[in-house]
């Protein structure tokens, strides 16, 4: 992020500036859309949200306080004393009203939930928070009361024990994994200064104020203030991939005073500085503090801070003092709050369970009333003397007891195994994602990983995807592709004579000893032109690329190694190197390059660095002949405004820029200017004065820069490809066909984000682009005329346009009325009651207006075909996601790769992390992770869709089979005096959901496929029913209940009718209760298992085995439980002795079972056949034409298509760096001179790695 701030010379005592804390308001916001708004942490809970603004008098009183006093009271309240652990004993805070602990966190992190002592009680407490588990616990207690229950206690205890046990084992396995991860991180080793020597210590033992030593490739254990390093002037290179996803190295630089005096163990041991700094926060790129040492004060900023989560690179040894540890570190503060994510189906399922519970109470009440009536009219002693039980209870009391009896008997209406079955299915689906080889990224050895097992079916209902850009859509790798020199375009397929050709042949750069051999270029004429030295413009073009930059260079084993502040600069300097103009070395005042093998040294007179306002950089040089030249490169809009009126190639270069833009390349214009000695001398006086200005130095420098950067001569333009990850455009196009909206939320510049939008086909030429100012105007106008898009049919945009929105973070705050909260003031005048009331009313009005505004914005944005939010902070990313969740009630997915995406990932319903070279912070906070963005379409359209359909099938079948099973008791009650007598044997009731009907539906829930994975990707529209919740909703639920009720009637009344006045083959009537129970149970088991067979779309051996095996298992267990042997062992527990053998030897009963099953299933078959013929769904149509589509999907030979768009006036901007380059470092001279000759391992730059990948 580019922050305009006063520069100070490191190591010199100076007063701290308090800029950067001014409130963001309409007056503060400039016209630059690229300015990143306020820090996301400044609206966090760390600030006192109740702090009220002071009136103007009080504000003026505060302003009269000295700057350092205000800062001390408001900001720098975190104190760190070097080498003094006892210093922190005075900072004690009280938690929970009684527990006292240190204000400073230890460095150990803890993400696990249980330990050996707390696992059982805490886990059981969590499980019994579920309404179903608590309900069955109450039932178990009721079953222990003999007067109430007609069922044995084990009929509820066994299923409950199985459910609790499986869930506990799953939770235990997950927590053990967390323990292992925490242990691995906390036990990493680091050198800590103890007793005058560096000793190896575990990370968990590091404390604030400790002096640590880090070595090359070490992970940084805490947030550390850099004191010194083995590099010249204590530079330290760090990789921040885990923080921001960027793989180019960043440099940090210590204070000059500690660089000079903090090298040896003895010097470090005597270091006793006190550091006052800001409290722990989650702002990754901000740090304000002051170091007090030896009666001097030194300003400390983010340039000297090494953050936890980064890795030390290319630096042999680094020393630092721990500022923030453990939970106080910025990376941990960026983690956000972890909320328990629940799927939409979970919520539906809970409502349905509550509804079933109400039905259970209703049925039990009705049957209890029936029992009361029966007792008073039929079952009393005077009429039915044989029913006298010797207890003289009134009918109402007996009805009350019958109510609880029926609650127990029909408790299976509320399915106890539902939740555990859902967890088992989700776990199986998660393993299938983990095992999917088509989501394995071989280049980085990264498989797909489902990091949660509770959200799989939600993947089939995504409506909005929020994606980061850098490292997620792109590889953050730049490649030099084309250029325009003196009005001529180079980079297409051309032979050495300059004629265009269709032959694809790489240019051979072996003639150049400095070439790295990795540049992919197809125009053979340009190298020939350069080598011939016939075109001065070409030589000047590449000379500019080799000279005008802030790249650092090292030579290692004869190879040049570049370290650039951005991948763009690295790509340009490397391109010049391959074309014969190699940047070799630089000092504070000179740059040496090789021009076609001849080394030439240029004197650096001034370096005019890049920033987000200038969007260009310049360098003023004196060549070996003594001539002074200015070279300038920058965005075309900036360069064209400063060109000399007489520029003959202006129009032709502009045409080339349009062509480059059509190819979605990032463009950059190059220009130069000859400067006379007198002109430079006069300008240099003003430049030197601005360089040492103590007030608003940046503005003074920019003004001086403008004076010299005019009347430039245009040289040409470069075109760089910001390479997308493989398959990104195709993935986005496929997902959009599935009616999934994709929003890009990035911290990058507006031009860069727009360019990538076109590259990945998120934006097209046919779209009308609206920026923040236009959107703000539209919303204001709509609210002024009370025309809001809240009506479902209202469309704000024109009917014939295809709108897209590109909005920056500053405009986002303006539109959503998100103002920066002010820092808590140390002085506040108490307000009167009337003032408080007025303030409260004003706040309520503002909050209501803000909510209306936010809803209007979301509705407006959702009408756009594409939305890109650029220059946004991590908190703004999360805010956009939460607004869509809140106002659209849509299922969201966020995908990112860095720590700046963690908030967004945690806020969305589904969080996806891109793993691999970009770091692991986003992955650790995500629900799913894989190596490339393109795998997202398979995750959603294949696994997500399958998982959703499987879960819907499971739930519909589960409710059906439980109602079919339970309501047989209801019908039986009309024939047993409503006495709560069960229709089945107790052990059948116990094992029905556990063994007899569970396996087939679990197999369907894990393995079923309605269409193949290839057809799922071929027809993305199949995904739309999941977004609408078409496969499982209250309508489907009631149909399942109705189906279960009908089947329960068939299961009861068909055998009941068959048993009336029936004679068996042996002359005996099989009309006893036990034979009837066996017949109904057998009919039920066969019917429900055949029903799941009808519901199965994808048959495997496992499916067939589960269906037939369940039926066989039922008969095997039943014959065993009805045997005489087990009755002898447990006479009270097994009372159906011989019932199954006696009943099932009757052919008549087998015919009854077959008839019952046929009546249950044949109507289902007929209805489904008619539905498929008369009104087939999209899935039915694809299934019927499956073979034809599969033949179409076979690979066919064909030429690859190249993505090109029509002519466009759009410009794709050169990105430079997101921060200032290395100009300040170069100008200071601190990084130039080595402190001794020593060899260092070779550094591979981002550009080298890219080019290598290109070649391969």
């Amino acid at each position: 992020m580019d922050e305009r701030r006063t520069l100070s010379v490191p190591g010199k005592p100076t007063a701290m500036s308090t800029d950067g804390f001014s409130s963001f308001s309409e007056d503060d916001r400039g016209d630059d859309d690229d300015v990143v708004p306020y820090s996301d942490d400044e609206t966090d809970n760390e600030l006192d949200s109740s702090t009220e603004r002071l009136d103007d008098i009080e504000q003026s009183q505060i302003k009269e306080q000295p700057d350092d006093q205000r800062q001390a009271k408001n900001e720098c309240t975190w104190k760190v004393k070097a080498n003094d652990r006892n210093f922190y004993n005075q900072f004690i805070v009280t938690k929970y009203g009684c527990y006292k602990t240190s204000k400073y966190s230890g460095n150990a992190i803890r993400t696990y939930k249980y330990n050996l002592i707390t696992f059982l009680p805490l886990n059981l407490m969590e499980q019994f928070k579920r309404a179903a588990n608590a309900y069955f616990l109450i039932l178990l207690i009721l079953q222990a009361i003999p007067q109430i229950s007609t069922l044995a206690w084990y009929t509820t205890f066994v299923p409950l024990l199985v459910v609790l046990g499986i869930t506990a084992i799953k939770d235990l396995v997950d927590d053990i994994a967390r323990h292992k991860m925490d242990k691995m991180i906390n036990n990493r080793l680091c050198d800590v200064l103890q007793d005058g020597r560096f000793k190896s210590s575990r990370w968990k033992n590091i404390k604030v104020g400790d002096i640590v030593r880090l070595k090359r490739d070490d992970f940084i254990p805490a947030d550390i203030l850099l004191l010194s390093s083995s590099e010249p002037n204590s530079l330290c290179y760090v990789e921040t991939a885990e923080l921001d996803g960027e793989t180019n190295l960043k440099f940090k630089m210590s204070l000059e005073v500690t660089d000079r005096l903090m090298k040896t163990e003895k010097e470090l041991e005597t270091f006793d500085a006190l550091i006052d700094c800001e409290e722990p926060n989650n702002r990754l790129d901000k740090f304000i503090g002051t170091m007090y040492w030896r009666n001097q004060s030194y300003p400390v900023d983010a340039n000297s801070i090494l953050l936890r989560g980064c890795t030390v690179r290319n630096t042999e040894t680094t020393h630092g003092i721990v500022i923030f540890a453990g939970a106080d570190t910025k990376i941990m503060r960026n983690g956000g709050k972890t909320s328990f994510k629940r799927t939409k189906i979970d919520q539906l399922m809970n409502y349905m369970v509550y509804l079933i519970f109400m039905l259970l109470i209703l049925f039990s009440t009705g049957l209890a009333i029936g029992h009361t009536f029966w007792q008073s009219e039929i079952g009393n002693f005077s009429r039915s003397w044989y029913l006298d039980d010797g207890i003289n209870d009134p009918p109402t009391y007996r009805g009350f007891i019958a109510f609880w009896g029926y609650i127990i008997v029909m408790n299976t209406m509320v399915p106890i195994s539902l939740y555990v079955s859902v967890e088992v299915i989700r776990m199986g689906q998660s393993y299938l994602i983990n095992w999917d080889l088509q989501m394995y990224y071989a280049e980085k050895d990264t498989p797909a990983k489902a990091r949660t097992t509770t959200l799989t079916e939600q993947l089939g209902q995504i409506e909005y995807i929020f994606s980061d850009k850098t490292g997620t859509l792109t590889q953050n790798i730049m490649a030099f592709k084309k250029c325009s020199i003196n009005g001529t375009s180079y980079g297409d397929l051309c032979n050495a004579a300059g004629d265009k050709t269709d032959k694809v042949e790489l240019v051979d750069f072996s003639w150049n000893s400095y070439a790295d051999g990795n540049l992919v270029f197809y125009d053979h004429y340009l190298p020939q032109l350069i080598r011939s030295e016939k075109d001065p413009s070409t030589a000047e073009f590449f000379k500019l690329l080799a000279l005008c930059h802030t790249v650092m260079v090292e030579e290692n084993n004869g190879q040049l190694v570049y370290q650039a502040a951005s991948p763009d600069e690295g790509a340009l300097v490397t391109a010049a190197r391959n074309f014969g103009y190699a940047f070799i070395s630089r000092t504070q005042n000179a740059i040496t390059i090789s021009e076609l093998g001849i080394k030439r040294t240029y004197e650096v007179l001034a370096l005019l660095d890049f920033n987000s306002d200038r969007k260009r950089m310049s360098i003023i040089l004196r060549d070996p002949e003594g001539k002074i030249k200015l070279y300038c490169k920058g965005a075309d809009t900036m360069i064209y405004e400063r060109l000399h009126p007489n520029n003959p190639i202006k129009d032709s270069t502009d045409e080339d820029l349009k062509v480059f833009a059509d190819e979605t390349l990032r463009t950059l214009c190059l220009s130069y200017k000859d400067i006379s000695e007198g002109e430079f001398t006069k300008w240099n006086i003003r430049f030197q004065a601005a360089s040492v200005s103590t007030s608003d130095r940046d503005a003074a420098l920019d003004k001086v820069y403008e004076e010299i950067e005019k009347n430039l001569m245009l040289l040409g333009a470069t075109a760089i490809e910001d390479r997308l990850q493989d398959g990104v455009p195709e993935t986005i196009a496929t997902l959009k066909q599935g009616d999934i909206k994709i929003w890009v939320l990035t911290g990058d510049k507006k031009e860069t984000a727009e360019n990538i939008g076109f590259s990945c086909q998120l934006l097209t030429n046919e779209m009308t682009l609206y920026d923040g100012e236009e959107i703000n105007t539209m919303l204001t106008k709509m609210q002024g005329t009370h025309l809001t898009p809240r009506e479902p049919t209202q469309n704000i945009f024109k009917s014939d346009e295809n709108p897209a929105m590109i909005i920056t973070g500053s405009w986002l705050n303006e539109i959503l009325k998100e103002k920066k909260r002010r820092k808590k003031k140390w002085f506040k005048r108490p307000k009167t009651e009337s003032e408080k009331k007025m303030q409260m009313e004003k706040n309520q009005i503002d909050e209501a207006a803000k909510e209306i505004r936010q809803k209007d914005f979301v509705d407006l944005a959702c009408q756009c075909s594409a939305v890109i939010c650029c220059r946004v902070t991590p908190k703004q990313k999360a805010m956009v996601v939460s607004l869509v969740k809140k106002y659209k009630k849509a299922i969201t997915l966020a995908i990112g790769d860095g720590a700046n995406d963690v908030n967004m990932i945690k806020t969305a319903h589904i969080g996806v992390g891109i793993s691999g070279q970009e770091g692991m912070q986003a992955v650790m906070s995500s629900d799913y992770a894989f190596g490339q963005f393109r795998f997202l379409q398979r995750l959603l359209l294949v696994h997500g869709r399958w998982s959703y359909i499987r879960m819907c099938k499971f739930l519909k079948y589960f409710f059906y089979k439980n109602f079919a099973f339970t309501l047989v008791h209801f019908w039986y009650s009309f024939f047993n005096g409503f006495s709560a007598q069960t229709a089945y044997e107790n052990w059948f009731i116990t094992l029905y959901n556990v063994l007899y009907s569970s396996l087939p539906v679990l197999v369907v829930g894990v393995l079923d496929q309605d269409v193949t994975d290839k057809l799922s990707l071929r027809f993305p529209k199949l995904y739309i029913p999941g977004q609408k919740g078409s496969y499982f909703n209250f309508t489907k639920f009631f149909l399942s209940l109705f189906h279960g009720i009908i089947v329960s009637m068939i299961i009861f009344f068909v055998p009941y009718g068959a048993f009336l006045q029936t004679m068996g083959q042996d002359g005996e009537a099989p009309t006893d209760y036990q034979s009837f129970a066996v017949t109904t149970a057998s009919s039920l088991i066969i019917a429900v298992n055949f029903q799941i067979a009808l519901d199965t779309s994808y048959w495997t051996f496992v499916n067939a085995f589960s269906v037939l095996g369940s039926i066989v298992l039922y008969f095997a267990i039943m014959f065993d439980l009805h045997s005489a042997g087990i009755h002898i062992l447990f006479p009270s527990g097994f009372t159906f002795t011989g019932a199954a053998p006696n009943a099932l030897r009757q052919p008549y009963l087998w015919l009854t079972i077959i008839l019952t099953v046929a009546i249950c299933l044949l109507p289902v078959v007929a209805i489904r056949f008619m539905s498929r013929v008369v009104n087939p769904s999209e899935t039915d149509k694809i299934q019927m034409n499956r073979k034809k589509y599969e033949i179409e999907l076979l690979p066919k030979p064909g030429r690859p298509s190249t993505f090109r768009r029509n002519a466009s006036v759009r410009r794709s901007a050169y990105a430079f760096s997101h921060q200032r380059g290395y100009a300040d470092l170069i100008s200071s001279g601190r990084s130039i001179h080595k402190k001794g000759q020593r060899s260092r391992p070779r550094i591979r730059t981002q550009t080298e790695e890219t080019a290598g990948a290109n070649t391969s």
Side-chain angles (χ1 to χ4, degrees), residues 48 123 247 375 387 682 826 853 922 1030 1177:
D48 186 359
N123 188 262
T247 51
Q375 280 288 340
L387 294 177
K682 294 179 181 178
W826 63 273
R853 178 86 161 188
S1030 302
S1177 65

Side-chain angles (χ1 to χ4, degrees), residues 206 512 580 693 820 965 1026 1166:
I206 294 175
N512 178 10
S693 173
K820 174 181 171 181
F965 164 64

Side-chain angles (χ1 to χ4, degrees), residues 39-70:
S39 167
D40 56 309
D41 67 286
E42 292 174 359
T43 57
D44 211 343
N45 294 331
E46 300 161 1
L47 300 181
D48 186 359
S49 60
S50 63
T51 300
E52 299 167 343
R53 295 187 176 184
L54 305 177
D55 56 27
D56 294 337
I57 297 176
E58 292 167 338
Q59 293 288 0
S60 63
Q61 290 174 349
I62 296 298
K63 289 178 182 177
E64 290 172 1
Q65 300 292 331
D67 287 346
D68 55 351
Q69 182 178 349
R70 293 207 310 272

